[in-house]
């Protein structure tokens, strides 16, 4: 958990309260400067960047599918509304706007010709002007390229939530289209293994998505210095991951950024897929999209995208899930490439080199000839992982990591694999996750402190005692 400065949300904009930026990533290097932006350009030319969008039509449906009524949240009837940006209905009280002070009604002066007592002040004092805070900020838990995520508490219901701030600074033309897409997508989803969007909060010029709070993410727990998962835990997590993915795919959603920091976990061992910033609806009838291949963080990107495919479907997420499963078992990323070419090399070295016999039409992918390896590698998959996985887990991972996307099983098929249906042990939720909040953010902070400690120790050991 980030320093627990318990400040009220009104002070969020003060830069001094922000913790220092996260360290240079031990996470996969992003091959492109800004995939969101790039997609935007490729896929939304008609919008010419970010369209101006008013909140009103949007607010009507936010959370409609997802909304669980919580005591004290939303509070539309108590919160005087002003302007078109504040909108809520009893059915979907999804947007809270704290951006403007509550206008206290000016008291009507009593028509007394000679008042003996002073009239009430015509304007409220600044203290009175302040609207009640919807959330108390507890600390920072995520600081991604696209915004900050805070742990916070609903001041009324006392519910702990995550507030994901939507980055507006770079937006000159209105509300960011990427955030809009993410919200729209999240609205349509409701599943125990997919993060729930509770509401949208507008505060000053900031907009926040409000989510159920999750104590950890997989990138965090997998780098925790002490924590270990048992075999039943690993099965429980793998199953939830595939259940979430199967649900997304059955709803026609491609996630397109499955990786440890986007997979959340709470202390009860419930896993939820999160971060729909790169997700898209796809046409289940046409089965494949013609889209950009610059999606999915490099280490989790499947070979067909690395070879330039732009027609793809749910199998891209299945590959990333296979990478995560390996990482769950080994606590190491399966393919930590430094750039696209190196990424492909690592994939080929482990799984063997593809050719038109084991992957029909691979030679027709745009960059196949360009990055064709000179050496043919055989698969080393079984030799590499057999000692760390049960036979069924090994077989399932190998299937999820099939080079040819057409031969990769779907998430639903994977859930019917003997690893889940017959092989012992039975899945069980981890019970010892109460290790303090541990996301990628805290993990990076911890590593940074460790490095600084080491540096200091090295320096001290170099200072030689002055001989007398
Ligand atoms: N609901 C949540 N509960 C707790 N932590 C969260 C939640 N959502 C996101 N986070 C943390 O914030 C980080 C960044 O959020 P994410 O949605 O992935 O945004 P980004 O687009 O910046 O990657 C995540 O990696 C996770 O550690
Ligand atoms: Mg993320």
């Amino acid at each position: 958990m980030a320093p627990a400065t318990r400040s009220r949300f009104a002070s969020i904009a003060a830069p001094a309260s922000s913790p220092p930026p996260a360290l240079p990533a031990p996470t996969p290097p992003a091959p492109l400067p800004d995939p969101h932006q790039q997609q935007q350009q490729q896929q939304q030319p008609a919008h010419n960047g970010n369209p101006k969008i008013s909140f009103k039509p949007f607010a009507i449906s936010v959370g409609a599918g997802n909304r669980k009524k919580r005591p004290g949240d939303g509070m539309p009837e108590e919160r005087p509304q002003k302007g078109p940006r504040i909108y809520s209905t009893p059915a979907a009280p999804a947007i809270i706007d704290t951006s403007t002070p509550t206008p206290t009604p000016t008291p009507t002066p009593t028509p007394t010709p000679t008042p003996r007592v002073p009239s009430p002040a015509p304007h409220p004092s600044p203290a009175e002007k302040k609207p009640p805070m919807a959330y108390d900020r507890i600390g920072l838990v995520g600081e991604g390229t696209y915004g900050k995520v805070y742990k916070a508490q609903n001041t009324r219901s006392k519910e702990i939530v995550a507030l994901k701030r939507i980055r507006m600074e770079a937006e000159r033309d209105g509300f960011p289209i990427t955030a809009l897409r993410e919200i729209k997508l999240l609205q349509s989803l409701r599943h125990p293994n997919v993060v729930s969007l509770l509401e949208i909060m507008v505060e000053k010029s900031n907009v926040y998505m409000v989510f159920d709070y999750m104590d950890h993410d997989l990138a965090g727990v997998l780098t925790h210095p002490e924590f270990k998962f048992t075999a039943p835990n690993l099965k429980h997590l793998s199953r939830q991951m595939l259940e979430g993915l199967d649900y997304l795919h059955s709803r026609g959603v491609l996630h397109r950024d499955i990786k440890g920091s986007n997979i959340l976990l709470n202390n009860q061992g419930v896993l939820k897929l999160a971060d729909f910033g790169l997700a898209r609806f796809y046409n289940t009838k046409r089965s494949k999209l013609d889209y950009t291949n610059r999606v999915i963080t490099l280490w989790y990107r499947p070979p067909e995208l690395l070879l330039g495919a732009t027609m793809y479907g749910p199998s891209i997420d299945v590959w990333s899930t296979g990478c995560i499963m390996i990482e769950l078992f080994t606590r190491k990323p399966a393919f930590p490439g430094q750039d696209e070419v190196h990424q492909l090399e690592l994939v080929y070295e482990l799984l063997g080199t593809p050719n038109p016999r084991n992957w029909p039409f691979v030679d027709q992918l745009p960059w196949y000839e360009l990055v064709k390896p000179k050496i043919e590698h055989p698969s080393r998959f079984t030799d590499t992982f057999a000692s760390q996985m049960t036979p069924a887990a090994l077989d399932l991972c190998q299937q999820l990591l099939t080079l040819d996307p057409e031969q990769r099983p779907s998430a639903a098929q994977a859930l019917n694999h003997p690893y889940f249906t017959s092989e012992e042990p039975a899945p069980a939720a981890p019970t010892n996750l109460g290790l303090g909040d541990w996301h990628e953010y805290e993990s990076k902070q911890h590593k940074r402190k460790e490095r600084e400690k080491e540096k200091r120790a090295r320096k001290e050991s170099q200072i030689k005692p002055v001989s007398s």
Side-chain angles (χ1 to χ4, degrees):
M1 199 43 254
T5 45
R6 230 189 138 80
S7 60
R8 301 216 95 194
F9 235 89
S11 63
I12 235 175
S17 67
S18 312
L23 278 185
T27 45
L32 284 176
D34 186 348
H36 283 76
Q37 204 179 339
Q38 203 246 353
Q39 272 169 257
Q40 220 167 286
Q41 283 158 5
Q42 288 195 6
Q43 293 165 26
Q44 297 291 328
H47 286 311
N48 187 25
N50 301 322
K52 269 200 162 61
I53 293 171
S54 103
F55 276 89
K56 191 167 175 177
F58 205 52
I60 294 167
S61 51
V62 164
N66 243 344
R67 190 87 185 109
K68 254 195 302 189
K69 183 79 181 151
R70 287 169 158 73
D73 63 2
M75 301 172 283
E77 63 288 341
E78 289 169 38
R79 196 172 293 278
Q81 297 176 6
K82 184 188 171 191
R85 288 167 62 203
I86 315 161
Y87 188 85
S88 63
T89 63
I95 290 201
I96 300 176
D97 189 329
T98 60
S99 60
T100 43
T102 311
T104 310
T106 311
T108 321
T110 323
T112 322
T114 46
R116 295 185 184 192
V117 282
S119 309
H123 299 293
S125 70
E128 284 167 335
K129 268 188 190 175
K130 279 200 170 167
M133 291 294 122
Y135 293 97
D136 274 341
R137 181 175 58 171
I138 299 172
L140 192 64
V141 293
E143 195 175 38
T145 329
Y146 307 107
K148 287 184 176 176
V149 179
Y150 298 91
K151 180 178 184 178
Q153 184 171 39
N154 186 314
T155 50
R156 294 238 168 161
S157 67
K158 304 299 172 205
E159 183 184 19
I160 302 288
V161 298
L163 301 180
K164 180 170 174 177
R165 195 174 86 181
I166 296 168
R167 209 173 259 251
M168 305 282 279
E169 300 94 53
E171 304 297 332
R172 289 199 288 151
D173 301 327
F175 197 79
I177 184 75
T178 48
L180 213 49
R181 279 212 198 102
E182 185 171 355
I183 295 168
K184 205 161 165 22
L185 242 144
L186 281 162
Q187 270 174 246
S188 70
L189 303 173
R190 185 179 190 156
H191 187 270
N193 301 121
V194 174
V195 79
S196 309
L197 177 67
L198 305 177
E199 57 198 1
I200 303 294
M201 180 180 74
V202 184
E203 190 208 50
K204 296 188 182 146
S205 53
N206 292 318
V207 182
Y208 298 85
M209 293 183 224
V210 185
F211 291 102
D212 274 336
Y213 183 73
M214 302 291 283
D215 308 278
H216 321 284
D217 66 35
L218 280 191
V221 280
L222 288 175
T223 49
H224 191 275
E226 287 137 40
F227 189 75
K228 296 241 171 346
F229 289 119
T230 63
N233 297 163
L234 292 171
K235 191 170 289 187
H236 186 66
L237 296 176
S238 305
R239 191 169 69 180
Q240 293 184 81
M241 202 158 56
L242 284 161
E243 300 265 12
L245 196 63
D246 180 35
Y247 171 75
L248 292 185
H249 292 168
S250 72
R251 300 296 306 238
V253 172
L254 298 185
H255 187 284
R256 307 204 305 180
D257 201 13
I258 299 280
K259 60 175 174 178
S261 61
N262 292 339
I263 301 175
L264 309 176
L265 197 59
N266 67 16
N267 281 343
Q268 288 67 50
V270 177
L271 176 150
K272 289 180 193 275
L273 302 179
D275 194 354
F276 287 76
L278 278 179
R280 289 292 175 280
F281 284 110
Y282 74 99
N283 186 338
T284 38
K285 292 199 187 90
R286 277 211 343 253
S287 88
K288 280 182 179 177
L289 285 171
D290 190 359
Y291 263 158
T292 173
N293 53 15
R294 307 290 188 146
V295 287
I296 308 188
T297 303
L298 188 61
W299 294 1
Y300 305 91
R301 200 179 297 167
E304 64 272 24
L305 296 189
L306 293 164
L307 289 171
T310 54
M311 301 278 283
Y312 52 79
S315 54
I316 57 159
D317 289 334
V318 171
W319 173 276
S320 313
T321 308
C323 297
I324 294 288
M325 253 189 93
I326 297 278
E327 206 166 324
L328 278 172
F329 277 88
T330 64
R331 297 177 79 94
K332 283 193 205 118
F335 309 111
Q338 278 148 24
D339 52 47
E340 277 99 333
V341 174
H342 185 225
Q343 188 66 30
L344 269 176
E345 274 169 24
L346 294 181
V347 169
Y348 294 168
E349 276 169 24
L350 188 72
L351 297 165
T353 319
N355 56 52
R357 290 182 307 285
N358 59 24
W359 180 349
F361 312 116
V362 65
D363 50 342
Q364 286 170 32
L365 288 172
W367 304 329
Y368 176 72
E369 286 301 333
L370 203 69
V371 290
K372 201 172 171 182
K374 293 184 184 68
I375 313 158
E376 285 250 329
H377 298 283
S379 172
R380 291 192 298 110
F381 189 85
T382 308
D383 292 347
T384 311
F385 298 120
S387 63
Q388 297 169 76
M389 290 182 190
T390 60
L394 188 75
D395 183 68
L396 174 59
C397 284
Q398 191 160 21
Q399 287 193 31
L400 298 176
L401 296 175
T402 305
L403 290 170
D404 177 3
E406 297 292 331
Q407 296 175 52
R408 239 171 260 156
S410 65
Q413 286 166 338
L415 286 163
N416 279 322
H417 190 275
Y419 175 59
F420 297 116
T421 57
S422 53
E423 193 189 60
E424 295 287 327
T431 50
N432 47 352
L433 274 165
L435 32 84
D437 305 27
W438 205 257
H439 304 86
E440 186 180 51
Y441 179 77
E442 289 92 345
S443 166
K444 282 182 182 175
Q445 299 280 325
H446 174 80
K447 278 188 198 151
R448 189 179 61 130
K449 281 194 193 125
E450 290 293 299
R451 272 200 299 270
E452 278 168 6
K453 224 167 37 185
E454 270 173 34
K455 221 164 130 186
R456 264 201 311 274
R458 263 204 310 275
K459 257 194 189 159
E460 275 162 25
S461 68
Q462 280 164 7
I463 301 170
K464 291 189 187 116
V466 185
S467 52
S468 53

